[in-house]
Amino acid sequence: RKEYRARRAEVLDAFRCAPFAGRIEIDERGSGLHFLLRLHTDIGDGELRRRAEGLGVRLGFLSDYCAAPQAEHTLVVCYAGLGRGRTDEAVRALAEVFGAL
């Protein structure tokens, strides 16, 4: 539990300090080893996915699991598989994906 609590804190802190921090909302309600990250953008999930894949980054969108309109632009962030110390690398990659938002 301590390990995952530390990973969660590291990831959340990195997102809150990221260059795109002003364009996201983090929802931790009812979360375990994941949380939801809502993007403020008009770019569709398909385009965001294509940008990410072009950089070798795999994103999981809530719209993959739910057809509700509010699911659009929401990432399901699972931090369990992200090794400690790799958070900065992940945030840099996401900043590049989100760069044109």
Side-chain angles (χ1 to χ4, degrees), residues 4-78:
Y4 288 118
R5 190 175 302 125
R7 282 188 197 185
R8 180 184 197 85
E10 181 181 322
V11 170
L12 288 171
D13 186 53
F15 279 127
R16 289 179 177 133
C17 296
F20 51 83
R23 297 177 290 179
I24 63 171
E25 290 175 45
I26 297 172
D27 183 353
E28 298 182 73
R29 292 175 292 159
S31 60
L33 296 175
H34 71 282
F35 57 86
L36 300 177
L37 187 142
R38 176 126 175 100
L39 306 170
H40 297 283
T41 181
D42 292 328
I43 299 170
D45 290 356
E47 175 60 24
L48 290 169
R49 185 184 318 277
R50 280 188 287 284
R51 289 181 187 190
E53 287 173 352
L55 297 169
V57 176
R58 192 180 94 210
L59 298 179
F61 289 92
L62 187 58
S63 60
D64 293 338
Y65 307 98
C66 176
Q70 63 269 29
E72 186 80 4
H73 309 123
T74 302
L75 293 172
V76 178
V77 179
C78 179

